[in-house]
Amino acid sequence: MRKLKVFISSVQNEFADERTELARYLRQDPLLGTFFEPFIFEEVPANTHSPGKVYLDEVKESDIYVGLLGAKYGFEDEMGVSPTEREYDQAKAEHIPRWIFIKDIVGADRHPKEIALIRKIEHDVSRKKFSNLDLLKKEVYNSAVLYLKQTGKIESHDFDDSLHPSADIQSLDENKVKEFVILARNKRNFPLKETASVDQVLKHLRMIKNGKLVNSALLAFATDPQLFFPSATIKCAHFHGIQVQKPIPDYKEFGGTVFEVADEAVNFVLSKISLSTGTREKSNQVETIYEIPRAVISEAIINAVAHRDYYSKGSIQVSIFRDRIEVTNPGSLPPELDINDLKEPHSSYPHNPLLAGCMFLTGEIERYGTGTLEMFKLTEERGLKPPLIALDEGFKVTIWRPSAEATHDAEHDTIHDGEHDNIHDVSELFSEIVELTHRLVLVLKGEMSRPQLMEILELRNRPHFATNYLEPALKEGLIEMTLPDKSTSKNQKYRLTIKGVDLKEKLERKIQK
């Protein structure tokens, strides 16, 4: 078996010990030594070729690129570029997997060009930090084992395909399974009927083996998934400014199945962002749309749920700031992709294939490998800045709100307070309508059914709509039922009361100013 060549790149005099020890470690470790053969320039015999040519030729012939970054930038050629950066660029051009390790620097400043190189790399691939040789070896080992698993060189089971040691079919909610079947039949012509048993559905989805459940079955259908996976939640926080700052105006942590947590998180974001006021040019009703397309928010959150690392103890985090929304999950890109690939048509390599398959069947995921493309397309159509994807201690998507600066140099995408103090005034386009009942009043025209109202407000969850919009509006006397004696009738509709009409007129005058 041919060993995989690992090119170790760094400023040589800064990482002399680390380079030598890392090469020795890769050769001597019982597992890593079976699959990998390191290359360091110190071991190359003297020859007549220029060092630069040797560097790049060796990178081209390598299978893995390992980059060690510290305080120094290193020797600069006539173009002002160091060998380390040349080697990284070559590895990127050859689509070679790149493992980047950054040394924590205490009491010393990094060279400005080294800082720029780190920022450049973090927009492409994930990176890990280390403070000593032992931690470096640990991080390299983790990266190597993950690579071997992902490329099928050692046997591995994905998290969602692994058997849970204690759960059984009684841990699942039969109603949730039936609801899934109904939705999957409507969306994707799922072959089983809602009368199918839980066992039959699970077998079709490959979520049960010899009577034992795999983890994905619990994430999708358990009565209480967090009983088995406490970190399988989404933490949502709303901040009035542009940085994390206490006290937090609103914070919620959502649990439930993967479908439920995604739905709750999307609803949380929608309730915090502004609505467009529209005009009366096309109709008597003020057009109402969210400042960010719902599909963009949904894609970011559902991708995080479907592709996160469920072995991690970290939760998905959604943070809403004045100028942006950040969706962060404990995960990483597969070795076949880097960030730039996400902006072009690309194949799908789901981290949790069974879970992703379930979310595809319900329509949560529309088409494999198109989620990020759709986000870039929709934000461009709306005139928003393109989403920013970073692989810094996890996978983070930043969605820019209209209040973010319209033109922003890519190298300043890192958020700093002073860089965003001058926010464009978009009050003429969007209005912040905090009260959810007021949003309902604003869109209600004549007599409308619950499905019609949910469609306009782009809400998918009936209980959420009832609890946060419909029931409070009824209680406040802003709306009334057309069939008050038949509250559960399928023909039930809702209309504004006199109080509701007065409020709607006030809201429309306010947003038309």
Side-chain angles (χ1 to χ4, degrees):
M1 178 185 71
R2 183 184 75 85
K3 291 186 179 182
L4 300 167
K5 183 175 179 179
V6 179
F7 185 97
I8 300 175
S9 174
S10 72
V11 175
Q12 291 184 32
N13 59 11
E14 182 178 10
F15 290 104
D17 293 340
E18 288 89 346
R19 292 166 63 88
T20 301
E21 289 299 319
L22 192 55
R24 180 183 294 118
Y25 176 62
L26 286 169
R27 291 188 179 111
Q28 294 181 353
D29 181 86
L31 174 63
L32 304 187
T34 303
F35 293 96
F36 300 105
E37 176 58 36
F39 171 89
I40 54 176
F41 191 70
E42 295 92 317
E43 298 175 348
V44 177
N47 57 51
T48 58
H49 296 294
S50 69
K53 184 178 187 305
V54 174
Y55 290 141
L56 300 185
D57 286 346
E58 293 293 343
V59 171
K60 290 179 182 179
E61 296 175 2
S62 297
D63 301 287
I64 305 290
Y65 170 93
V66 170
L68 308 181
L69 303 177
K72 299 179 180 179
Y73 181 66
F75 168 80
E76 298 179 31
D77 61 19
E78 66 279 3
M79 301 295 291
V81 182
S82 71
T84 304
E85 185 161 5
R86 292 285 188 201
E87 292 158 9
Y88 175 82
D89 290 342
Q90 186 68 55
K92 179 179 178 180
E94 300 290 334
H95 302 287
I96 296 170
R98 285 147 278 153
W99 305 346
I100 306 299
F101 305 96
I102 301 175
K103 188 170 185 178
D104 280 328
I105 305 297
V106 179
D109 294 330
R110 295 189 201 273
H111 191 284
K113 287 192 174 182
E114 186 75 350
I115 294 174
L117 176 58
I118 291 172
R119 287 179 177 172
K120 168 179 155 180
I121 289 175
E122 72 183 6
H123 292 315
D124 291 338
V125 295
S126 61
R127 55 190 176 92
K128 296 293 183 181
K129 294 181 179 179
F130 71 97
S131 57
N132 55 52
L133 182 58
D134 287 339
L135 286 176
L136 174 60
K137 289 179 179 178
K138 179 183 176 181
E139 293 296 352
V140 169
Y141 182 88
N142 291 338
S143 296
V145 171
L146 178 61
Y147 177 83
L148 293 173
K149 288 180 178 180
Q150 290 175 325
T151 55
K153 297 185 183 299
I154 59 176
E155 187 175 353
S156 167
H157 288 286
D158 294 305
F159 171 88
D160 68 345
D161 189 39
S162 297
L163 294 175
H164 193 275
S166 60
D168 57 31
I169 203 166
Q170 301 303 318
S171 305
L172 306 184
D173 186 328
E174 184 177 354
N175 289 328
K176 291 180 180 180
V177 176
K178 289 186 180 297
E179 290 171 3
F180 165 82
V181 172
I182 293 171
L183 191 55
R185 283 178 61 83
N186 290 335
K187 289 287 186 177
R188 308 290 187 199
N189 295 317
F190 189 65
L192 300 185
K193 297 182 179 179
E194 60 185 283
T195 54
S197 68
V198 173
D199 187 71
Q200 288 174 318
V201 175
L202 294 178
K203 284 180 178 177
H204 184 85
L205 297 173
R206 296 186 290 115
M207 290 183 168
I208 190 169
K209 301 175 182 178
N210 299 321
K212 290 187 173 294
L213 300 179
V214 300
N215 292 328
S216 55
L218 297 166
L219 289 169
F221 306 121
T223 303
D224 183 6
Q226 284 67 45
L227 181 65
F228 306 98
F229 312 111
S231 65
T233 62
I234 300 184
K235 297 177 180 178
C236 297
H238 178 219
F239 304 93
H240 289 319
I242 59 175
Q243 63 180 343
V244 174
Q245 189 173 0
K246 293 183 178 181
I248 303 174
D250 197 2
Y251 172 85
K252 289 184 173 63
E253 182 172 4
F254 298 111
T257 67
V258 289
F259 307 106
E260 292 165 343
V261 294
D263 211 21
E264 292 282 11
V266 171
N267 288 333
F268 182 89
V269 175
L270 293 180
S271 72
K272 302 302 179 185
I273 63 176
S274 299
L275 302 174
S276 72
T277 62
T279 67
R280 293 181 179 275
E281 294 177 0
K282 295 183 179 179
S283 69
N284 290 327
Q285 185 179 6
V286 176
E287 181 186 10
T288 304
I289 58 173
Y290 294 100
E291 61 177 271
I292 300 171
R294 183 192 192 280
V296 173
I297 298 165
S298 179
E299 286 287 355
I301 292 174
I302 288 168
N303 280 343
V305 170
H307 301 302
R308 65 155 286 178
D309 177 7
Y310 281 96
Y311 282 118
S312 170
K313 294 182 180 179
S315 297
I316 295 170
Q317 296 188 40
V318 177
S319 302
I320 304 170
F321 298 94
R322 187 176 68 196
D323 63 342
R324 69 195 188 280
I325 297 167
E326 294 179 351
V327 181
T328 306
N329 78 81
S332 61
L333 282 175
E336 296 87 353
L337 299 175
D338 63 27
I339 287 178
N340 289 326
D341 293 326
L342 302 181
K343 302 174 184 178
E344 305 291 339
H346 59 274
S347 298
S348 176
Y349 304 94
H351 198 78
N352 305 290
L354 293 182
L355 208 56
C358 267
M359 302 188 86
F360 171 78
L361 288 171
T362 60
E364 302 290 339
I365 297 174
E366 285 299 331
R367 294 186 302 278
Y368 286 116
T370 64
T372 52
L373 285 177
E374 187 72 3
M375 291 174 61
F376 283 101
K377 173 177 174 289
L378 292 174
T379 51
E380 181 181 9
E381 290 176 352
R382 186 63 66 84
L384 299 171
K385 287 175 54 182
L388 173 66
I389 300 175
L391 297 168
D392 184 5
E393 302 301 320
F395 188 98
K396 180 169 73 174
V397 177
T398 299
I399 304 168
W400 300 102
R401 301 178 67 173
S403 55
E405 293 174 309
T407 57
H408 194 284
D409 196 304
E411 70 181 23
H412 294 107
D413 277 336
T414 302
I415 312 301
H416 294 292
D417 294 349
E419 295 179 6
H420 292 276
D421 286 340
N422 184 25
I423 302 296
H424 290 293
D425 182 6
V426 294
S427 58
E428 293 183 3
L429 296 176
F430 295 97
S431 297
E432 185 177 354
I433 304 173
V434 178
E435 297 294 333
L436 301 185
T437 53
H438 290 190
R439 296 185 177 197
L440 181 61
V441 165
L442 190 61
V443 303
L444 183 53
K445 178 184 178 184
E447 296 180 353
M448 300 179 70
S449 65
R450 181 194 304 238
Q452 288 174 317
L453 291 167
M454 289 179 63
E455 182 179 0
I456 291 176
L457 290 168
E458 298 189 71
L459 302 173
R460 306 286 188 265
N461 189 297
R462 286 171 59 91
H464 171 84
F465 175 71
T467 301
N468 295 282
Y469 292 79
L470 202 58
E471 292 170 3
L474 287 166
K475 187 176 181 180
E476 293 174 30
L478 298 173
I479 65 173
E480 62 185 9
M481 300 180 188
T482 56
L483 301 172
D485 297 329
K486 300 178 181 180
S487 60
T488 60
S489 172
K490 64 179 181 179
N491 298 317
Q492 184 67 261
K493 293 187 177 182
Y494 302 87
R495 61 192 170 212
L496 295 174
T497 61
I498 294 176
K499 182 179 179 181
V501 171
D502 289 341
L503 175 60
K504 181 171 183 174
E505 290 176 351
K506 292 178 181 178
L507 290 171
E508 290 182 344
R509 286 197 298 270
K510 177 182 177 181
I511 63 181
Q512 289 296 318
K513 287 182 180 179

